[in-house]
Amino acid sequence: VAQTTRKRAAAVAVAVIAVADLLLSRRAWSRPAIALLDEPAHAATTWLIAQALAPQHTPAAQLASTLLDADHVPSELGSDVLRRGAARPFGHTGAAVVALALVSRGAALGAAAHLVRDLADDVGVSLAWPLSGRAQRIPRGLYYALALTLAARAARPTGAPAPPRPAP
Ligand SMILES: [Zn+2]
C-alpha cells in the first residue's frame, strides 16, 4: 500500500475505534446496533495489527476477524451450544486461533487480532478454553495504547526509523 494511503488508513482506523467506543459507551444499544458499531472497530483493529505483523496477510485476516463473530449467532438465537462454560463462543478462544493457524496463518492472525479488542471489554475472552472457562481481560487503556502505537508505526515510511526529535 502506498505511503500516503497507509497514513490515511492508519488515521481512519484510530478514528473508527474512537468513534465506535465513544458511541458504545453512550447508551445501551440494541444487539444489532452494537454489532454495527463493533464490527468496523474490529476491522480497524485487525488492520492495524496485520499491517504491523504481516501486511501480506491483511485481506485474510480482515475476513477471518469479521467472520469470527458469526459464532455469536446461536447464542443470539437462544442456544448455548457454542459457548458452554466459555465467556464467548468457542471461535473466541486461544484453541480456535491455534486450530485456524493449521489452516491459514492469515485467518489465525485475524482471529487473534479480533480477540485483542474483545479482551478489552467487560466480558473478556476465555483464552485457555477448554482447559478453563475463566475470562481474561486487558485494560481498555492498554488496547488504546496498542492501537495508537500501531497506527503511528503504520503511518511511518516502510523501513525508515522514527524522525529524530529536534534538540531542546
Ligand atoms: Zn467477537
Side-chain angles (χ1 to χ4, degrees):
V1 188
Q3 180 52 25
T4 337
T5 318
R6 275 165 56 91
K7 227 175 185 164
R8 266 189 214 137
V12 168
V14 169
V16 164
I17 293 170
V19 169
D21 283 350
L22 191 70
L23 288 173
L24 283 168
S25 68
R26 277 300 168 90
R27 46 168 281 203
W29 299 86
S30 68
R31 296 290 294 168
I34 290 174
L36 278 176
L37 289 169
D38 200 38
E39 288 309 323
H42 270 301
T45 307
T46 302
W47 187 87
L48 289 168
I49 292 175
Q51 285 296 305
L53 295 181
Q56 75 277 21
H57 288 315
T58 304
Q62 296 281 191
L63 187 67
S65 175
T66 304
L67 289 180
L68 198 65
D69 275 336
D71 70 359
H72 283 293
V73 171
S75 319
E76 293 303 310
L77 299 175
S79 162
D80 199 29
V81 66
L82 282 186
R83 56 182 306 168
R84 290 180 198 284
R88 288 182 141 94
F90 302 151
H92 288 65
T93 59
V97 174
V98 172
L100 275 174
L102 301 175
V103 186
S104 156
R105 291 177 65 182
L109 177 65
H114 182 107
L115 296 188
V116 169
R117 176 172 165 80
D118 282 349
L119 275 165
D121 74 13
D122 298 338
V123 179
V125 175
S126 300
L127 281 179
W129 184 91
L131 301 177
S132 159
R134 216 170 76 93
Q136 271 81 37
R137 287 180 199 84
I138 58 172
R140 207 139 248 267
L142 183 65
Y143 164 60
Y144 293 136
L146 178 75
L148 284 173
T149 306
L150 294 178
R153 209 190 124 133
R156 270 213 313 263
T158 328
R165 283 166 184 274

